[in-house]
Amino acid sequence: MKRIDIIAALLHLLAGGCICIMYPSHPYNKHGITAGIPAPVPPPQHAALPSCGSHTVPWSTGLCHCMDDPGNCLMTCFCPCITFGEIADIVDEGGCSCVASGAAYAALCFTGAACFYSYCYRSKLRGRYDISEGPAPDFLVHCCCEACALCQEHRELRRKGFDMGIGWKANAERQRRGMMMDPVMGAPAMRGGMTR
């Protein structure tokens, strides 16, 4: 494949399409002259990828639906290290703080290697919640659409019930208190059953 074909396929993928490589119907020799018209070659068949779990669910929002949460979109555009830090804190279950993860991400941004670090968290997030990979591998999504990928992951965690601004420990405490304090719904229990 020519470099321009690869770039066109990636742009098509980023626009939400699927990549389907078509074979030329008129192969050219090195002088640019057709070497005859062969029988058409059918496009390759795409087999379903095996899933790790019993089934996977799609992302709750699309990769390019950044404006579903405009505040996070702006934050991610101007300071993606904050968004990444919040995601990493939740995905690591407090193992590495938001500040430490964000600082590491910011340092890697200066080297151009931030996508190597951030795509691992996308994979962890997908694994934890059995989310399907989507039209492209996690690494490619982060290399080509870093800000969109971070926004999508942030939205996904918010839709799972996390308050991204308070971190893992406060979310875990809130969930623990919520489970302990939930009132029991239904009729009150009566000793001895019902009597007249």
Side-chain angles (χ1 to χ4, degrees), residues 74-195:
L74 288 172
M75 177 63 71
T76 304
C77 285
F78 293 109
C79 196
C81 56
I82 293 174
T83 302
F84 176 77
E86 290 176 348
I87 293 167
D89 186 29
I90 300 294
V91 171
D92 276 344
E93 297 180 349
C96 190
S97 74
C98 174
V99 174
S101 296
Y105 182 85
L108 288 170
C109 279
F110 290 112
T111 65
C115 62
F116 293 105
Y117 183 44
S118 60
Y119 95 91
C120 296
Y121 284 90
R122 184 178 183 87
S123 296
K124 285 182 189 179
L125 174 66
R126 282 190 326 92
R128 179 162 296 134
Y129 295 107
D130 291 324
I131 300 171
S132 59
E133 190 170 55
D138 297 335
F139 178 72
L140 187 61
V141 169
H142 269 269
C143 282
C144 297
C145 303
E146 180 75 9
C148 293
L150 290 174
C151 285
Q152 184 184 36
E153 294 157 18
H154 197 272
R155 286 190 311 271
E156 189 70 31
L157 288 170
R158 287 189 63 184
R159 289 182 181 224
K160 298 287 184 204
F162 290 101
D163 182 348
M164 299 302 288
I166 63 174
W168 170 257
K169 290 177 184 168
N171 273 296
E173 179 64 25
R174 180 182 281 180
Q175 187 178 27
R176 187 185 65 77
R177 277 189 288 130
M179 286 182 183
M180 291 174 55
M181 296 172 63
D182 280 343
V184 176
M185 301 303 281
M190 300 181 73
R191 294 183 193 192
M194 296 175 68
T195 59

